[in-house]
Amino acid sequence: MGIFDPAAESEALGDRDGCWTFIRRFAAAWREPLAPGDGERRAAIAAVEQRLLVPLPAAVHAAYALFGRRDDLTRNEHGMRRLDQLDFWSPYGPHMLVFRVAGQGTFHWGIRLADLHLDDPPVMVRTDEQGWIRYLDRFSLAAVELVLYETVVGKGMYLAMGDYDDALAARLTGQYAALELPPVPVDEDDPAGRVHWYGGPDVLVSLQGHAAVWVCGRTEQDLAEAIRPMPGQWYHFF
């Protein structure tokens, strides 16, 4: 396949099918191409729907069928739950179908029971400090953000708070184009505390509110070249 530029290709994220195309092309360029065995079988998804007593939204069904078994794309830190882990969660708020949980259980991502009839429902996120807040307006967008995040965690590096300042943020945002992906909240009460994505053909950059900057290269050489001119102590996630 030709060069895949995440920022340029993110123009396709305006609809659900475009999100799946983006994920397919991203996986082929930055990981390994998606194969039939990377998705869950229709019978396995149907069995989960029988257990939950509700049909899964079309977008959720499609995501699991497309890449539900690809741990490298979905389960490096804030992992997408496996089919047998999908369940409703209700403490301190409305019933939610939780499909993603942070590694330390500090964040939960879910779909409201009242929204499960929608083909591509909105996604909520919960922390102990904030309760449930709106994350993204469509599950398909949340699936793209999940794949980007888990890829950066799996093969990138981060610059922690203390080495990260507004000057570096301005430099990064001037060097790379913004992805057409809405910023996701870290803190609902702080508009600046949101995750923004930037990139080019060989580099992905995630500005994590006030906390950190994360960089991922398509190859190890791309990563090394991206962070070389940036000051501070960089760390591998794993």
Side-chain angles (χ1 to χ4, degrees):
M1 64 175 294
I3 294 174
F4 179 86
D5 183 336
E9 299 270 352
S10 67
E11 295 178 357
L13 301 181
D15 60 47
R16 186 178 23 164
D17 289 341
C19 290
W20 307 144
T21 298
F22 180 96
I23 290 173
R24 286 190 186 94
R25 289 178 52 76
F26 177 81
W30 286 65
R31 285 297 199 177
E32 297 291 337
L34 290 173
D38 293 338
E40 298 286 357
R41 295 181 178 179
R42 184 176 301 178
I45 298 173
V48 170
E49 293 177 322
Q50 289 182 335
R51 173 172 61 83
L52 297 175
L53 302 178
V54 293
L56 295 175
V60 178
H61 190 292
Y64 275 95
L66 181 63
F67 56 84
R69 290 174 172 264
R70 280 290 295 270
D71 288 358
D72 61 325
L73 295 174
T74 61
R75 300 182 183 97
N76 288 307
E77 185 182 30
H78 297 348
M80 178 170 143
R81 281 186 158 181
R82 301 185 190 280
L83 273 182
D84 61 359
Q85 297 172 322
L86 282 179
D87 210 345
F88 290 105
W89 192 80
S90 59
Y92 315 113
H95 287 275
M96 294 279 178
L97 179 65
V98 175
F99 66 88
R100 186 183 180 192
V101 179
Q104 303 299 320
T106 52
F107 287 80
H108 294 77
W109 289 261
I111 300 167
R112 291 174 296 200
L113 179 60
D115 291 333
L116 289 179
H117 69 286
L118 300 173
D119 286 344
D120 199 0
V123 169
M124 309 291 287
V125 65
R126 185 186 186 281
T127 68
D128 290 338
E129 293 79 16
Q130 299 180 99
W132 290 103
I133 60 174
R134 180 67 71 99
Y135 192 69
L136 284 167
D137 289 339
R138 299 187 348 248
F139 175 86
S140 56
L141 283 175
V144 170
E145 201 276 335
L146 182 153
V147 167
L148 294 176
Y149 177 92
E150 295 301 315
T151 298
V152 169
V153 170
K155 60 184 297 189
M157 299 184 76
Y158 71 95
L159 186 67
M161 186 184 299
D163 290 321
Y164 167 47
D165 57 24
D166 291 341
L168 176 58
R171 180 177 179 178
L172 289 169
T173 56
Q175 183 174 356
Y176 299 105
L179 271 66
E180 294 190 22
L181 182 67
V184 297
V186 175
D187 184 342
E188 185 180 37
D189 298 325
D190 181 5
R194 290 177 177 268
V195 178
H196 296 259
W197 288 92
Y198 299 85
D202 303 312
V203 177
L204 264 176
V205 177
S206 179
L207 298 183
Q208 301 286 311
H210 302 294
V213 56
W214 302 345
V215 176
C216 178
R218 190 175 58 84
T219 67
E220 287 294 327
Q221 182 178 352
D222 294 328
L223 173 60
E225 291 178 356
I227 67 173
R228 185 177 296 118
M230 301 181 196
Q233 179 64 52
W234 291 84
Y235 302 92
H236 277 290
F237 283 95
F238 299 107

